[in-house]
Amino acid sequence: DIQMTQSPSTLSASVGDRVTITCRASQSISGKLAWYQQKSGKAPKLLIYKASTLDTGVPSRFTGSGSGTEFTLTISSLQPDDFATYYCQQYSSFSTFGQGTKVQVK
Amino acid sequence: EVQLVESGGVVVQPGGSLRLSCTFSGSSFDDFAFHWVRQAPGKGLEWVCLISWDGGTSYYADSVRGRFTSSRHNDKNSLYLQMRNLRPEDTALYYCAKTYAADPYSYLDLWGRGTLVTVSS
């Protein structure tokens, strides 16, 4: 099974900050990586798929990058609506989620 | 509007059984594969299983294999998760989610709101 290691688990930041979350796969996943945002009490929402493609309606301040086993999600200028928990998901072999990164107010 | 609605979550005793349902509307049900994903209280997302567009293929996480069975009824636009021999660690909010297309190995572009299963005596 492919394991996904996401870091950090918690991130404290301020509005306007640049934020980066990392996801590492235990083996190559050929770019089959998605990022989701989950707000408290809500279902996850797809942000990025194929490692770097923004889903419809997702603000351009979100950027996904990486290949092979190393991937990042960057928020260029954190907005109040972005405080949430973020998960990566590999879909190369069945599916696995990372442990999540909570972005909280500094 | 395309949406997924889960139902069937209740409180059940350890060792018990339960069937969850997920109803899809707003698009062609058999164009998509579906996944079940769960989230224990205060914890992260855990993938549970996937089912192909025609129900012919299913795969399960190690934690549920042999106890959970996914099925679908395309004529009813519905997806099911039969859960047996439930354990306290199965307590979670269970989400159904659809894949982008028929490929079951895909990202999940639409999620339901979830249904809560509590396993407790």
Side-chain angles (χ1 to χ4, degrees):
Chain A
D1 292 0
I2 298 176
Q3 308 302 317
M4 302 301 291
T5 303
Q6 195 174 331
S7 60
S9 56
T10 305
L11 190 160
S12 298
S14 302
V15 172
D17 284 354
R18 181 182 181 88
V19 165
T20 299
I21 299 168
T22 299
C23 193
R24 176 177 296 169
S26 59
Q27 64 190 72
S28 177
I29 56 173
S30 303
K32 293 188 176 183
L33 183 105
W35 291 97
Y36 300 86
Q37 178 192 66
Q38 187 180 34
K39 295 183 179 179
S40 182
K42 301 292 186 181
K45 173 191 171 186
L46 177 67
L47 294 177
I48 288 170
Y49 57 93
K50 294 180 185 177
S52 62
T53 302
L54 263 62
D55 195 27
T56 303
V58 175
S60 59
R61 63 181 180 272
F62 290 91
T63 303
S65 64
S67 62
T69 62
E70 296 276 342
F71 300 88
T72 59
L73 171 69
T74 300
I75 308 173
S76 60
S77 178
L78 195 68
Q79 297 302 300
D81 192 48
D82 302 337
F83 291 99
T85 301
Y86 294 84
Y87 295 92
C88 62
Q89 176 220 10
Q90 70 79 18
Y91 50 93
S92 175
S93 175
F94 310 121
S95 181
T96 317
F97 289 91
Q99 303 95 318
T101 295
K102 182 178 181 179
V103 177
Q104 62 185 19
V105 176
K106 186 174 183 178
Chain B
E1 179 187 7
V2 182
Q3 64 176 352
L4 288 162
V5 178
E6 303 94 336
S7 61
V10 293
V11 178
V12 60
Q13 291 189 341
S17 298
L18 191 60
R19 190 178 85 155
L20 305 183
S21 300
C22 174
T23 302
F24 178 73
S25 60
S27 187
S28 181
F29 183 66
D30 55 10
D31 281 348
F32 308 106
F34 289 85
H35 293 221
W36 288 94
V37 177
R38 68 184 181 183
Q39 187 168 34
K43 302 298 184 181
L45 302 174
E46 180 188 12
W47 178 74
V48 174
C49 67
L50 65 82
I51 185 167
S52 61
W53 70 273
D54 62 352
T57 301
S58 298
Y59 292 107
Y60 301 89
D62 290 345
S63 58
V64 306
R65 187 177 299 117
R67 300 187 299 123
F68 289 13
T69 303
S70 181
S71 62
R72 61 190 291 165
H73 197 307
N74 285 357
D75 288 347
K76 295 183 178 180
N77 287 359
S78 293
L79 181 68
Y80 308 101
L81 185 66
Q82 179 68 51
M83 311 162 70
R84 297 182 175 88
N85 191 20
L86 284 160
R87 305 167 179 168
E89 55 265 35
D90 295 319
T91 294
L93 186 64
Y94 284 74
Y95 294 102
C96 62
K98 75 174 242 338
T99 59
Y100 169 70
D103 183 358
Y105 299 107
S106 175
Y107 51 94
L108 305 172
D109 67 350
L110 178 70
W111 297 61
R113 294 185 176 183
T115 187
L116 182 62
V117 173
T118 304
V119 184
S120 174
S121 54

